[in-house]
């Protein structure tokens, strides 16, 4: 829990939203000093209804605790595809933005030219916002989520599961 207060980014990859390791009450009690949360477990961003009041969920605990942004999955996801998504997201946002990503599908099958993906449309709209080595602007985590959706095999099932709650956040790279 102390790391949530002192670090800028918290990434959890596992089952659910990590409630087994970090309790929702502990996160809510951080008093506005919580790290941005990337929760890559099944249904980690799903909100549950409790009676007629507001919904509850671990992702909301991070926002109440002060996280400016929380990213999680709305439904259950396959581990390999969500790992591929998380790898792409973190490479783009934090680690190695210029590293090529592995192809999402089999590379030996020839298919007709697909329609432009969201990633291609974002690159055309703002060419300096994505993976350009000479770029002075780093893409936000929200933009990286949109781009990482195209790097999974099941784009409309697993790629659509991750959502963002909060405001766009950019990871600043130290030089």
């Amino acid at each position: 829990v102390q790391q949530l207060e002192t670090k800028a980014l918290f990434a959890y990859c596992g089952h659910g939203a990590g409630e087994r390791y970090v309790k929702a009450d502990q996160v809510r009690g951080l008093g506005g000093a919580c790290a941005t949360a990337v929760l890559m477990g099944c249904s980690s961003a799903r909100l549950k209804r409790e009676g007629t009041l507001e919904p509850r969920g671990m992702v909301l605990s991070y926002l109440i605790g002060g996280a400016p942004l929380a990213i999680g999955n709305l439904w259950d996801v396959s581990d390999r595809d969500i790992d591929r998504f998380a790898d792409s997201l973190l490479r783009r946002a934090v680690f190695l933005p210029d590293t090529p990503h592995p192809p999402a599908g089999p590379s030996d099958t020839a298919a007709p030219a697909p329609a432009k993906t969201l990633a291609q449309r974002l690159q055309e709209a703002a060419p300096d916002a994505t993976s350009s080595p000479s770029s002075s602007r780093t893409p936000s985590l929200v933009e990286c989520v949109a781009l990482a959706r195209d790097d999974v095999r099941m784009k409309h099932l697993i790629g659509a599961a991750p959502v963002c709650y909060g405001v766009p956040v950019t990871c600043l790279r130290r030089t």
Side-chain angles (χ1 to χ4, degrees):
V1 176
Q2 182 183 14
Q3 298 298 317
L4 288 172
E5 292 179 300
T6 60
K7 303 297 180 186
L9 181 70
F10 171 70
Y12 172 77
C13 298
H15 298 289
E19 303 95 335
R20 188 178 293 172
Y21 306 105
V22 181
K23 303 294 181 209
D25 292 338
Q26 293 174 310
V27 176
R28 282 193 301 266
L30 290 176
C34 186
T36 296
V38 178
L39 309 172
M40 287 292 106
C42 290
S43 301
S44 55
R46 183 176 177 204
L47 301 178
K48 300 156 194 86
R49 285 187 67 181
E50 292 186 9
T52 58
L53 301 176
E54 295 179 12
R56 301 219 180 228
M58 191 65 175
V59 71
L60 293 179
S61 296
Y62 281 96
L63 295 175
I64 292 168
L69 177 68
I71 300 169
N73 298 304
L74 286 177
W75 51 79
D76 291 351
V77 291
S78 65
D79 57 349
R80 286 192 182 171
D81 241 4
I82 206 61
D83 288 348
R84 187 175 286 109
F85 175 88
D87 177 64
S88 176
L89 170 65
L90 294 174
R91 280 179 189 264
R92 291 175 190 278
V94 181
F95 299 117
L96 309 166
D98 300 325
T99 303
H101 301 282
S107 59
D108 57 347
T109 60
K116 288 185 180 179
T117 64
L118 176 61
Q120 291 167 333
R121 292 192 307 258
L122 282 173
Q123 287 173 348
E124 288 173 1
D128 65 331
T130 58
S131 74
S132 171
S134 61
S135 173
S136 61
R137 183 181 165 298
T138 304
S140 72
L141 277 170
V142 175
E143 290 172 307
C144 292
V145 166
L147 294 170
R149 292 181 195 277
D150 289 329
D151 292 334
V152 298
R153 291 179 199 253
M154 295 184 279
K155 292 175 178 59
H156 302 291
L157 182 63
I158 306 303
V163 294
C164 302
Y165 291 92
V167 297
V169 172
T170 300
C171 294
L172 299 177
R173 294 184 182 89
R174 295 183 182 154
T175 55

